C-alpha cells in the first residue's frame, strides 16, 4: 500500500517556491512546508478568497517548527501560470496515516492549532487554484483529499466542488457543526443588548462593579511586537493557572507549544495581525485573550482567566469589551470564535452562526479505495463521539 510519507520530496532552498512546487508535483512527490518562500505566501494571503489567520505564514511556520504533533508538514501549491513563481493556492497537508493513523492513500489538511483549515486560494483565480491543488494531490498517488474544518458555505469549498465536479467527482461532507461568530459591522452595545437582554447585562454590570472593588477595571489592547510579547506572558500565566493547567493542556506547560506561540504572536504583530487583549482590576490581570487578524476578519484564538475572580465572570467581561472593540474597528467586519459547538461562554454573546465541516474529495472517478477511506473516517468519528459522551457522562456523575 502506498506510503505517502515515504514518497515525500524535500527542497530546502526556498527559492522559486512555486516553480519548485510544480516540479516536485510533476515528479509525484510532496514538498516540505519550509520550502515555500514567505513573500509569495504573504502576497497570496492578501488575495485569499477567504480569510484564515491560521494558515498565515508567520503562524503556520511557527506551528510547523515546534508544536508537538504538528511539525514536519508538507504543502500543495498552485501557481499562475503553472510552473511560475506566483502562488495562487496553498494547502498544508499530511498523510492520512499520520493525521488519524489510518494507513490508506489519502492526504488531509495539516492542523494549524486553530480550528480552521481553509486553504488559501486567490479570489480572482479560485477555480484554477482549486483544480491545480487537486491535481497535485493526485500526482502524489493519493486517492482522496480530506479538507478538514473549513466553511461549508464559503468560496473556497465552492471552488473545490466546482473543480471536482468538472472531472466527474463528488465531494462528500463527512461531518459538520455550527459555531459562533460575530457580525462586527453592527453597533456593539446594540448587539450585546439584543444577545443578552437587559436583565443579564444588569447582572454583568453588577459583577463588574464588584470587581472594581479590587481596583479600577481596565480593558487594554497590545498591538506592537514589544507590547504583544509582554502581554502574551500574562496570558500564558493566566491560562496555566486555571483548569487547562490542571489538565496539562495549557500552552505554557508544553515547551514546543510555548515556543510556537511566542514566535507566532510577535511575528504577526509586526504585520498588525495579532493583538492581546487584557482585563485588569487595578494592577491585577484577571483575563486575557489572543486575537488574530486576517483581512477583515478577527479570530478569537484563546482565553485565559484568573479563577480567583471567577464569581465576577472575568472571561465574559473580557469578551464583552472585545465585542465592543471589534465592532468599533472599521477594518473588521466579522469575527470567528474558533470555539467548539455549543460553547457555554461565547455562544450566548456572539449569536451569529456558520457551518464548519470536513469534506472528502475523491481524486479519481469510481475509485473503490475512496469508499474504504470514507468508511474508516466515519468509523473513527463515531468512536470519538462515543468517547466524548463517555467523558461527559463520567464528569457529570
Amino acid at each position: 500500500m502506498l506510503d505517502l510519507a515515504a514518497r515525500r520530496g524535500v527542497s530546502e532552498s526556498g527559492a522559486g517556491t512555486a516553480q519548485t512546487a510544480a516540479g516536485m508535483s510533476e515528479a509525484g512527490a510532496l514538498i516540505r512546508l519550509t520550502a515555500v518562500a514567505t513573500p509569495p505566501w504573504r502576497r497570496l494571503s492578501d488575495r485569499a478568497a477567504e480569510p484564515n489567520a491560521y494558515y498565515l505564514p508567520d503562524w503556520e511556520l511557527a506551528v510547523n517548527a515546534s508544536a508537538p504533533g504538528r511539525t514536519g508538514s508538507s504543502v500543495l501549491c498552485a501557481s499562475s501560470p503553472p510552473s511560475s513563481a506566483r502562488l495562487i493556492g496553498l494547502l498544508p497537508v499530511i498523510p492520512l496515516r499520520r493525521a488519524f493513523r489510518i494507513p490508506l492513500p489519502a492526504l488531509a489538511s495539516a492542523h494549524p492549532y486553530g480550528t480552521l483549515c481553509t486553504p488559501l486560494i486567490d479570489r480572482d483565480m479560485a477555480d484554477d487554484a482549486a483544480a491545480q491543488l487537486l491535481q497535485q494531490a493526485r500526482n502524489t498517488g493519493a486517492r482522496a483529499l480530506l479538507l478538514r474544518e473549513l466553511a461549508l458555505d464559503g468560496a473556497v469549498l465552492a471552488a473545490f466542488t466546482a473543480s471536482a465536479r468538472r472531472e466527474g467527482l463528488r465531494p462528500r461532507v463527512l461531518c459538520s457543526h455550527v459555531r459562533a461568530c460575530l457580525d462586527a459591522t453592527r453597533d456593539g452595545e446594540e448587539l450585546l443588548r439584543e444577545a443578552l437582554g437587559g436583565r443579564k447585562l444588569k447582572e454583568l454590570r453588577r459583577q463588574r462593579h464588584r470587581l472594581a472593588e479590587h481596583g479600577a477595571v481596565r480593558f487594554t489592547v497590545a498591538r506592537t511586537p514589544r507590547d504583544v510579547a509582554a502581554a502574551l506572558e500574562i496570558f500564558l500565566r493566566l491560562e496555566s493557572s486555571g483548569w487547562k493547567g490542571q489538565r496539562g493542556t495549557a500552552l505554557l506547560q508544553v515547551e514546543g507549544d510555548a515556543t510556537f506561540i511566542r514566535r507566532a504572536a510577535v511575528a504577526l504583530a509586526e504585520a498588525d495581525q495579532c493583538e492581546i487583549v487584557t482585563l485588569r482590576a487595578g494592577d491585577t490581570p484577571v483575563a486575557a485573550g489572543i486575537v488574530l487578524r486576517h483581512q477583515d476578519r478577527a479570530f478569537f484564538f484563546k482565553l485565559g482567566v484568573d479563577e480567583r475572580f471567577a464569581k465576577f465572570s472575568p472571561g465574559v467581561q473580557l469578551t464583552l469589551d472585545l465585542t465592543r472593540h471589534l465592532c468599533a474597528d472599521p477594518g473588521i467586519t466579522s469575527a470567528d470564535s474558533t470555539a467548539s459547538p455549543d460553547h457555554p461562554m461565547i455562544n450566548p454573546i456572539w449569536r451569529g452562526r456558520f457551518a464548519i465541516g470536513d469534506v472528502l474529495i475523491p481524486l479519481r472517478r469510481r475509485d473503490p479505495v475512496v469508499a474504504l477511506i470514507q468508511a474508516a473516517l466515519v468509523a473513527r468519528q463515531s468512536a470519538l463521539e462515543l468517547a466524548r459522551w463517555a467523558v461527559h457522562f463520567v464528569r457529570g456523575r
Side-chain angles (χ1 to χ4, degrees):
M1 186 171 292
L2 174 67
D3 185 345
L4 290 170
R7 294 186 58 183
R8 181 178 297 125
V10 178
S11 171
E12 299 294 348
S13 68
T17 301
Q19 294 175 332
T20 303
M24 302 201 82
S25 173
E26 291 166 3
L30 291 165
I31 62 169
R32 290 183 177 177
L33 186 74
T34 50
V36 180
T38 53
W41 189 346
R42 288 197 176 98
R43 289 191 290 271
L44 171 61
S45 301
D46 293 339
R47 305 188 307 269
E50 287 184 55
N52 183 3
Y54 301 116
Y55 276 165
L56 290 171
D58 290 321
W59 180 272
E60 177 60 6
L61 287 171
V63 171
N64 186 70
S66 66
R70 294 176 170 86
T71 61
S73 296
S74 300
V75 67
L76 302 174
C77 293
S79 60
S80 178
S83 301
S84 77
R86 181 192 175 190
L87 283 177
I88 62 169
L90 182 143
L91 172 60
V93 292
I94 56 176
L96 197 66
R97 178 192 296 271
R98 181 181 170 193
F100 299 130
R101 298 183 180 178
I102 296 175
L104 290 172
L107 294 172
S109 308
H111 207 280
Y113 222 107
T115 56
L116 189 67
C117 301
T118 302
L120 301 178
I121 62 175
D122 193 308
R123 67 173 70 95
D124 296 324
M125 308 186 72
D127 289 348
D128 188 16
Q132 285 192 46
L133 294 176
L134 291 177
Q135 184 59 49
Q136 285 204 10
R138 188 179 296 115
N139 290 347
T140 68
R143 311 292 278 274
L145 176 63
L146 178 63
L147 298 178
R148 294 197 274 177
E149 293 187 303
L150 78 165
L152 296 182
D153 59 353
V156 170
L157 181 55
F160 275 94
T161 299
S163 296
R165 287 179 174 169
R166 280 194 296 270
E167 300 180 34
L169 306 172
R170 183 175 62 85
R172 309 165 188 186
V173 178
L174 299 185
C175 60
S176 65
H177 63 272
V178 295
R179 72 175 178 222
C181 61
L182 171 69
D183 178 2
T185 64
R186 298 187 54 190
D187 176 77
E189 295 297 340
E190 178 184 341
L191 185 147
L192 292 173
R193 283 195 302 272
E194 183 179 302
L196 298 174
R199 172 180 282 185
K200 181 63 176 178
L201 284 174
K202 183 177 180 180
E203 171 61 17
L204 289 169
R205 283 194 294 269
R206 185 192 69 80
Q207 291 178 356
R208 196 176 185 100
H209 291 150
R210 292 288 307 279
L211 178 61
E213 295 174 3
H214 297 266
V217 178
R218 296 180 295 121
F219 173 79
T220 60
V221 182
R223 293 188 178 90
T224 67
R226 180 176 180 178
D227 290 345
V228 162
L232 178 63
E233 297 306 315
I234 294 172
F235 164 83
L236 291 173
R237 289 195 297 271
L238 288 173
E239 186 195 36
S240 63
S241 71
W243 63 267
K244 292 181 183 179
Q246 294 173 1
R247 294 186 185 176
T249 60
L251 290 167
L252 193 58
Q253 293 175 295
V254 181
E255 183 178 354
D257 288 344
T259 299
F260 124 68
I261 194 60
R262 285 172 173 141
R263 170 181 165 178
V266 172
L268 287 171
E270 291 177 352
D272 297 322
Q273 291 176 321
C274 178
E275 54 192 31
I276 311 292
V277 293
T278 307
L279 189 72
R280 290 178 171 82
D283 294 328
T284 304
V286 298
I290 301 175
V291 180
L292 308 182
R293 302 164 69 104
H294 182 203
Q295 297 182 5
D296 62 349
R297 187 172 301 168
F299 298 81
F300 196 179
F301 174 55
K302 280 186 178 292
L303 171 69
V305 302
D306 187 334
E307 294 187 0
R308 296 175 300 170
F309 296 86
K311 62 182 177 181
F312 307 121
S313 304
V316 175
Q317 300 288 353
L318 176 74
T319 303
L320 297 184
D321 284 341
L322 175 61
T323 301
R324 298 180 182 105
H325 166 64
L326 294 175
C327 287
D329 188 335
I332 296 295
T333 62
S334 65
D336 183 350
S337 68
T338 65
S340 58
D342 304 318
H343 193 280
M345 189 278 288
I346 199 69
N347 279 24
I349 303 173
W350 290 5
R351 293 298 184 95
R353 298 290 183 268
F354 71 108
I356 292 287
D358 294 354
V359 179
L360 185 68
I361 304 180
L363 296 175
R364 293 168 177 80
R365 281 184 282 184
R366 295 183 292 277
D367 186 351
V369 176
V370 175
L372 295 176
I373 295 169
Q374 180 174 351
L377 290 169
V378 170
R380 177 186 178 276
Q381 183 64 28
S382 298
L384 286 176
E385 291 174 358
L386 180 61
R388 290 191 191 102
W389 178 87
V391 168
H392 290 313
F393 178 80
V394 170
R395 288 177 179 167
R397 299 279 290 185

